[in-house]
Amino acid sequence: MIHTKIYVVKNPDEMGVKAADLFEDVIQSKPACVIGLATGSTPLPLYRELIAREKAGRIDFTNVRSANLDEYKGLAPDHPQSYRKFMQDNLFDHIAIKPENTIVPDGLAEDVASMCCNYEAQIEKWGGVDLQLLGIGHDGHIGFNEPEDYFPGMTHEVKLTEMTIDANKRFFDSIDDVPKSAITMGIGTIMAAKKIVMVVTGADKKDILHKTFWGPVTPEVPASILQFHPDVTLICDEAAYPL
Ligand code: GLP
């Protein structure tokens, strides 16, 4: 909390504009920067704004590298609900980023442990994440780091909670189709990012946002660890702002 910069904006579109300003700054000062990206409905206005800014000549993604937070276990990259497909449809297919410069954990990996190690190694080889985007789940999860009694360090496999499965069923035909596990960057991977921007919109996120930045730092609210990161920007809309 001591270090967190907070911007309260009117609505999701304004959140998109404000968050895009941060991405524009980082990409302009380091054209081959590494950005950490997130899925979910919250970042969509940001992705639309980034696409518009590249079209307008304000940002150039040609040399940018990106690493996504997470992927469902068992979904192929072209599965309609996979996070790889989400990123292609909502951002990558509309900007100049090179396909080989975008990484998303492999939901089909047979050797999950070595895929996770390689994922971490690739990020490290690129020099680490310059700006990490985060949304938040209703239980305080970031990426797919669910409430636990410890903070998981590196990229790993997780079992999703009932709450997360329930929240994500809206994207699937039925709750039985929602994968029960996922691969996610760990809390340590996320905390290693040089800068973090968290975007939160909607009244349904108000309570968890309060716990995250104004409550105790605890693995029961995984996002609360952000209070200990030296460079976090929170952009939330008025509906989500808890004070
Ligand atoms: C999923 C993702 C998270 C995301 C969360 C919230 O669980 N793994 O990265 O933050 O959903 O999504 P939404 O923005 O749709 O509320």
Side-chain angles (χ1 to χ4, degrees), residues 1-7 22 195 230-235:
M1 189 54 198
I2 310 166
H3 308 286
T4 311
K5 293 181 274 296
I6 303 178
Y7 294 94
L22 268 71
K195 275 175 180 292
D231 192 345
V232 175
T233 302
L234 165 66
I235 306 173

Side-chain angles (χ1 to χ4, degrees), residues 35 38 42 46-47 64 70 82 84-85 99 109 121 131-132 160-161 165 168 173 179 192 212 219:
I35 53 177
T42 312
L46 163 64
Y47 292 157
V64 171
D70 46 14
S82 78
R84 161 58 77 177
K85 180 84 168 69
L131 178 60
Q132 174 68 56
L160 302 179
T161 62
I165 292 169
N168 292 354
D173 290 339
T212 296

Side-chain angles (χ1 to χ4, degrees), residues 50-66:
L50 291 176
I51 293 165
R53 287 190 191 194
E54 190 174 63
K55 285 198 171 33
R58 286 174 68 175
I59 306 187
D60 178 8
F61 281 94
T62 309
N63 296 309
V64 171
R65 282 83 62 90
S66 76

